[in-house]
Amino acid sequence: MKTIIILAVVVAFALGAPQAVDDSRNAQILRYETDNIGVDGYRYAFETSDGISRQEEAELKNVGTENEAISVRGSYSWVAPDGQTYTINFVADENGYQPEGAHLPKA
């Protein structure tokens, strides 16, 4: 069950990540690191030649209790068509997805 939750989180973030417009089709992977530490969490990071990068780390909190939850922290960056690099830092945990970025409106 925990593996399914971790996989669902990874897929949701991957689908929600912004895509670079110009060089995406010809982008090369410059760096890729992954560490699946089992049901207790994971770590991964990548960077591509078109300016996209992502890193995140997850850990299982409150193991064995009814409040058990996975907590994910990370960031992703991309180069927009205007040439500016945008970065989102986020936490996704029992309180939901909480993004922060200089370009995002503040509540």
Side-chain angles (χ1 to χ4, degrees), residues 1-102:
M1 181 64 171
K2 294 173 191 170
T3 303
I4 293 172
I5 293 170
I6 291 171
L7 181 60
V9 169
V10 170
V11 169
F13 284 132
L15 293 175
Q19 302 296 314
V21 176
D22 298 332
D23 264 350
S24 311
R25 293 181 187 195
N26 299 316
Q28 301 294 313
I29 297 171
L30 302 176
R31 180 176 64 100
Y32 179 78
E33 301 169 10
T34 184
D35 183 15
N36 182 352
I37 52 179
V39 296
D40 294 333
Y42 64 89
R43 285 186 215 61
Y44 84 91
F46 71 83
E47 182 179 353
T48 61
S49 61
D50 61 351
I52 295 174
S53 64
R54 183 179 185 99
Q55 66 171 8
E56 70 180 55
E57 182 173 333
E59 67 177 310
L60 191 59
K61 294 190 169 191
N62 303 315
V63 179
T65 71
E66 68 179 46
N67 295 324
E68 184 175 279
I70 192 159
S71 176
V72 181
R73 293 185 178 278
S75 66
Y76 52 94
S77 299
W78 71 98
V79 178
D82 64 5
Q84 185 168 343
T85 299
Y86 293 91
T87 300
I88 301 286
N89 297 303
F90 66 88
V91 174
D93 58 15
E94 65 274 9
N95 298 311
Y97 178 70
Q98 304 148 56
E100 293 180 354

